[in-house]
Amino acid sequence: MESSESEGKAGEYYDVVKKFEYLDHTADVQIHSWGDTIEEAFEHAVMGMFNYMTDIDGVLPRKTMEVSAEGTDYESLLFHLMDEFLFLSCTDDYFMAREIKITEFNREKWTMKALGYGEDFDRERHGGKGTEVKAITYSAMQVYDKTPKSEIFVIIDI
Amino acid sequence: MPRTFDEELQFLEKKSPCCWTIKKDFVPNMKVEGLFYVNDHLEKLMLEELRNSCRGNIGGFLPGVKQIANVAALPGIVKNSIGLPDVHSGYGFAIGNMAAFDMDDPEAIVSPGGVGFDINCGVRLLRTNLDETDVQPVKEQLCQSLFDHIPVGVGSKGVIPMAAKDLEEALEMGVDWSLREGYAWAEDKEHCEEYGRLLQADQSKVSSKAKKRGLPQLGTLGAGNHYAEIQVVDEIFDKHAANKMGIDHKGQVCVMIHCGSRGLGHQVATDALVAMEKAMKRDKIVVNDRQLACAHITSQEGQDYLKGMFAAGNYAWVNRSSMTFLTRQAFGKVFNSSPDDLDMHLIYDVSHNIAKVEEHMVDGKQKTLLVHRKGATRAFPPHHPLIPVDYQLTGQPVLIGGTMGTCSYVLTGTQTGMENTFGTTCHGAGRALSRAKSRRNLDYQEVLDRLADLGISIRVASPKLVMEEAPESYKDVTEVVNTCHAAGISKKAIKLRPVAVIKG
């Protein structure tokens, strides 16, 4: 465990399965995430955000944080969920998540609960691998709840 | 039916060599025409953006011209929605977009998108009495000293001790707080927009979430396109104006600091967007783009945002003051001299993401307007009462930061600018290449080597940022500044060249 930690990788932990990519946008970054379900697309949108701040493969699942979000539609729910995780990343102990799991999604009330598995930011292991995310935006936001593939497009302000 | 590129072009008209109008109906509900300033080269980039969007692209973000037009559809807008030469696609408002709203019109709105997430992101320039020859032998040491003094990058924390109560006072007092605590010089206040303090700020309108984000970050540089640069005077275009700023020869060393209100400002903007979405439904305000969320200026949401935004603005000034303090310390250590003996005075501090209440002449009448400047800088002319005494004859200094490794400029405000753009000019280079494209196409080592060839020392906290922030990713700041000069909306005074860069 010691040596794999110093390599900056999660050692015996597998590389995170990533269902997201970064698309061209002039000033900032557009995250494109997908999944078999809309929940999975949500999870990977958040992971895409964390992966921009640091290499999430190098984040160990030592700590679990729970987040609640609410909205009035898919867009506002996504916005709120990502904003809650963003808040965790830049306050207190600067929490970085390697994986996200949606535990509850109430489609009528538009509420969601999620867990983030990760750890506090460690300058030595996580530093210098990405950049800060300033905010989540509604700009060109698209949420597609479809089978067999759900997709999300969301721009984050760098 | 989406229009073809040629159909869209019917709505755009070149009025003069550097000025285009966007006619009404380019987008629905335009109350005034749009306007944008570009030269031939920048014009190509603008139209390219439009052409690409007509072809349809996944992601589907709006080109700058459409955004300028969408802003022209907002209630209470006066004269024109204006794009400056560095204009490019942003959130709701394009970056490099100015729009003023009539405060006497009950329908007039305030929009956080017209200010930006990074409230009071701005630039300040310090001079020194050092020459390039003094700095070259100790350049690496100086660069390292700055990097050690100024917290940068993901996970960085401020070094200036701050408790919750201090933060609240800083939000209310702006630079006056820094002055009281000994982090700023009295003269700094004089050379700052609003004297470094927006008086109508109300810290109670800043959410606890925003305060929580702001507390550890005070005095940090942040990442993205923020930086601290050691620069030398490369060219003096306007000797008289330069002299008034304490710049009298080529090779004179200056320090430029570019940053904003960090997580606090972003949270204030985010909180306001959420509140205003609800207000818009209630007050039946219709906009072309969700990101143009806004509220009537006189509404509770509008007033709350303004007061919170002013507080965030004050935070940014405290932040820049803190960084100034750390910079003065770093220089003092390396040169074994006091910052005072090094004449490290503040030339000026400008904001390029803010909304201000200002008096302007509209059709021969004096009006009170709420001027939104997003990625745009105030440029008041000579004799304007709100600019410092020493700049009364020359006009307000305008600081235009170039991108990493390219030059920066100091301009002055003009009467033409006051009349045509409500005293507004560009703010920088504006991006040309997306961050994703830059990361893919540019090589980190190549960018660093190129900077080394130019004799520029660099310390960067996030290596990936090096490609994203490479000069190739941006428009040419010289083109932008020359266009403003040609259009008469600001005048070139000084050109600066970087010798050391600190980035997050």
Side-chain angles (χ1 to χ4, degrees):
Chain A
M1 259 313 251
E2 299 294 305
S3 56
S4 54
E5 265 180 46
S6 62
E7 270 164 22
K9 277 278 185 178
E12 66 200 42
Y13 296 104
Y14 48 81
D15 270 1
V16 177
V17 170
K18 298 181 185 103
K19 295 188 179 180
F20 60 81
E21 62 177 354
Y22 302 114
L23 297 178
D24 282 352
H25 180 273
T26 328
D28 296 297
V29 169
Q30 186 169 49
I31 299 172
H32 173 212
S33 71
W34 54 91
D36 301 329
T37 60
I38 191 65
E39 285 90 336
E40 202 176 9
F42 265 67
E43 289 164 359
H44 286 265
V46 178
M47 285 158 64
M49 179 184 78
F50 278 112
N51 197 56
Y52 214 82
M53 299 180 212
T54 186
D55 188 3
I56 58 176
D57 288 324
V59 175
L60 300 167
R62 283 170 160 168
K63 186 169 160 179
T64 308
M65 297 295 280
E66 184 174 39
V67 141
S68 306
E70 57 180 31
T72 54
D73 52 20
Y74 269 127
E75 287 82 11
S76 53
L77 188 58
L78 177 68
F79 183 92
H80 200 189
L81 183 78
M82 290 181 77
D83 193 45
E84 287 294 319
F85 275 111
L86 179 63
F87 185 71
L88 290 180
S89 77
C90 57
T91 51
D92 287 333
D93 304 308
Y94 296 4
F95 179 73
M96 297 281 126
R98 67 184 264 119
E99 273 183 290
I100 307 292
K101 199 88 200 82
I102 308 280
T103 54
E104 257 180 60
F105 175 25
N106 185 324
R107 274 179 170 78
E108 266 112 70
K109 295 206 181 116
W110 293 106
T111 58
M112 202 175 246
K113 278 205 168 82
L115 293 174
Y117 303 108
E119 59 177 323
D120 297 335
F121 187 82
D122 177 330
R123 285 212 93 167
E124 264 174 52
R125 287 187 295 116
H126 306 133
K129 296 197 161 102
T131 188
E132 274 192 0
V133 172
K134 285 188 196 170
I136 318 300
T137 78
Y138 277 116
S139 187
M141 188 191 273
Q142 294 150 78
V143 179
Y144 300 111
D145 183 358
K146 295 203 292 249
T147 39
K149 188 177 173 188
S150 285
E151 287 180 276
I152 284 173
F153 295 89
V154 58
I155 295 178
I156 51 177
D157 189 356
I158 301 300
Chain B
M1 260 295 283
R3 293 190 200 121
T4 63
F5 179 61
D6 287 320
E7 283 167 349
E8 300 277 36
L9 276 182
Q10 296 304 307
F11 291 89
L12 305 178
E13 192 188 320
K14 194 164 180 171
K15 251 182 33 168
S16 70
C18 355
C19 191
W20 287 65
T21 37
I22 305 169
K23 296 188 209 155
K24 291 188 189 176
D25 295 326
F26 183 59
V27 300
N29 304 321
M30 283 172 75
K31 317 232 173 354
V32 295
E33 288 189 335
L35 202 76
F36 60 96
Y37 291 94
V38 282
N39 63 8
D40 289 332
H41 177 75
L42 296 167
E43 171 190 309
K44 288 193 178 68
L45 291 171
M46 274 296 259
L47 298 179
E48 183 73 25
E49 227 187 18
L50 179 61
R51 197 195 307 261
N52 283 339
S53 86
C54 290
R55 288 201 187 115
N57 42 7
I58 49 155
F61 58 90
L62 291 171
V65 275
K66 286 274 174 178
Q67 293 192 315
I68 296 170
N70 281 338
V71 168
L74 293 172
I77 188 166
V78 168
K79 203 163 142 64
N80 297 111
S81 164
I82 296 180
L84 285 311
D86 45 356
V87 68
H88 62 272
S89 195
Y91 312 118
F93 279 64
I95 298 168
N97 200 168
M98 184 291 294
F101 297 82
D102 185 354
M103 296 207 53
D104 292 323
D105 181 346
E107 298 293 305
I109 56 92
V110 56
S111 176
V115 169
F117 280 105
D118 196 355
I119 296 169
N120 193 6
C121 181
V123 182
R124 54 170 46 191
L125 186 66
L126 307 171
R127 65 167 185 262
T128 70
N129 54 19
L130 296 165
D131 189 84
E132 192 173 4
T133 49
D134 299 316
V135 159
Q136 279 299 345
V138 292
K139 199 156 58 89
E140 289 303 317
Q141 197 188 337
L142 191 53
C143 194
Q144 190 61 44
S145 183
L146 267 185
F147 193 64
D148 293 335
H149 276 77
I150 297 175
V152 293
V154 184
S156 59
K157 292 193 176 142
V159 296
I160 290 174
M162 257 233 159
K165 189 165 188 304
D166 295 316
L167 180 62
E168 287 179 358
E169 287 177 343
L171 289 170
E172 293 270 314
M173 295 168 65
V175 165
D176 284 338
W177 183 87
S178 302
L179 202 55
R180 190 188 77 186
E181 299 295 308
Y183 297 123
W185 296 352
E187 305 91 317
D188 294 349
K189 214 176 122 70
E190 183 62 21
H191 285 170
C192 187
E193 279 188 38
E194 309 295 322
Y195 303 106
R197 178 182 184 169
L198 281 153
L199 295 169
Q200 306 101 311
D202 183 345
Q203 62 83 20
S204 70
K205 302 297 179 188
V206 175
S207 68
S208 50
K209 224 175 160 186
K211 285 171 182 164
K212 202 155 185 228
R213 281 180 79 173
L215 193 52
Q217 293 184 334
L218 195 70
T220 63
L221 189 58
N225 61 7
H226 292 159
Y227 58 76
E229 271 189 9
I230 303 173
Q231 305 175 335
V232 303
V233 175
D234 196 56
E235 229 183 303
I236 298 175
F237 303 103
D238 184 342
K239 217 171 182 323
H240 178 62
N243 280 352
K244 283 288 176 186
M245 300 178 204
I247 301 294
D248 53 20
H249 69 280
K250 283 201 228 181
Q252 188 171 352
V253 174
C254 296
V255 183
M256 186 175 270
I257 296 168
H258 172 213
C259 71
S261 53
R262 312 288 284 98
L264 187 139
H266 308 141
Q267 195 64 47
V268 168
T270 303
D271 295 339
L273 286 174
V274 170
M276 287 185 181
E277 288 238 312
K278 298 191 183 126
M280 282 167 72
K281 288 201 175 91
R282 179 195 70 212
D283 297 340
K284 299 190 179 37
I285 304 176
V286 173
V287 295
N288 294 345
D289 178 1
R290 186 174 185 160
Q291 200 78 353
L292 281 171
C294 58
H296 292 306
I297 297 174
T298 48
S299 70
Q300 188 63 48
E301 292 82 5
Q303 287 296 306
D304 284 350
Y305 170 66
L306 281 172
K307 291 177 186 157
M309 186 261 291
F310 291 152
N314 287 345
Y315 177 94
W317 278 314
V318 171
N319 211 26
R320 289 204 280 281
S321 296
S322 305
M323 252 161 298
T324 304
F325 172 73
L326 295 168
T327 301
R328 285 172 174 152
Q329 296 294 300
F331 268 71
K333 282 214 175 93
V334 171
F335 290 99
N336 204 20
S337 175
S338 78
D340 202 23
D341 285 336
L342 293 172
D343 188 39
M344 291 187 76
H345 280 267
L346 179 63
I347 291 178
Y348 206 62
D349 178 311
V350 293
S351 177
H352 52 236
N353 265 14
I354 202 151
K356 299 263 198 86
V357 178
E358 292 174 359
E359 303 289 313
H360 287 274
M361 296 301 280
V362 182
D363 298 327
K365 277 188 264 184
Q366 182 162 324
K367 289 209 140 268
T368 308
L369 305 177
L370 181 64
V371 184
H372 293 65
R373 292 190 182 93
K374 177 181 171 177
T377 317
R378 191 189 78 176
F380 278 171
H383 310 297
H384 196 287
L386 293 180
I387 63 179
V389 168
D390 20 357
Y391 301 137
Q392 279 289 308
L393 293 179
T394 56
Q396 180 214 311
V398 180
L399 310 170
I400 306 297
T403 63
M404 186 176 73
T406 66
C407 50
S408 303
Y409 286 87
V410 181
L411 316 175
T412 50
T414 63
Q415 190 55 34
T416 307
M418 195 66 182
E419 285 159 16
N420 293 341
T421 61
F422 293 132
T424 307
T425 191
C426 61
H427 81 299
R431 289 195 69 93
L433 262 189
S434 76
R435 291 185 180 274
K437 222 180 220 156
S438 304
R439 277 194 183 190
R440 285 197 304 270
N441 298 350
L442 300 172
D443 181 67
Y444 162 68
Q445 198 52 52
E446 262 181 49
V447 176
L448 285 183
D449 289 343
R450 214 191 326 256
L451 289 172
D453 288 341
L454 292 169
I456 301 170
S457 304
I458 176 163
R459 296 290 185 279
V460 58
S462 350
K464 278 187 189 154
L465 206 57
V466 166
M467 290 97 83
E468 292 180 18
E469 292 296 320
E472 297 89 325
S473 307
Y474 282 83
K475 292 179 184 167
D476 185 345
V477 67
T478 303
E479 300 253 1
V480 169
V481 161
N482 284 345
T483 309
C484 292
H485 188 95
I489 59 177
S490 53
K491 230 173 96 174
K492 292 195 302 195
I494 304 167
K495 180 177 167 192
L496 300 143
R497 151 176 69 81
V499 294
V501 180
I502 316 293
K503 281 193 77 65

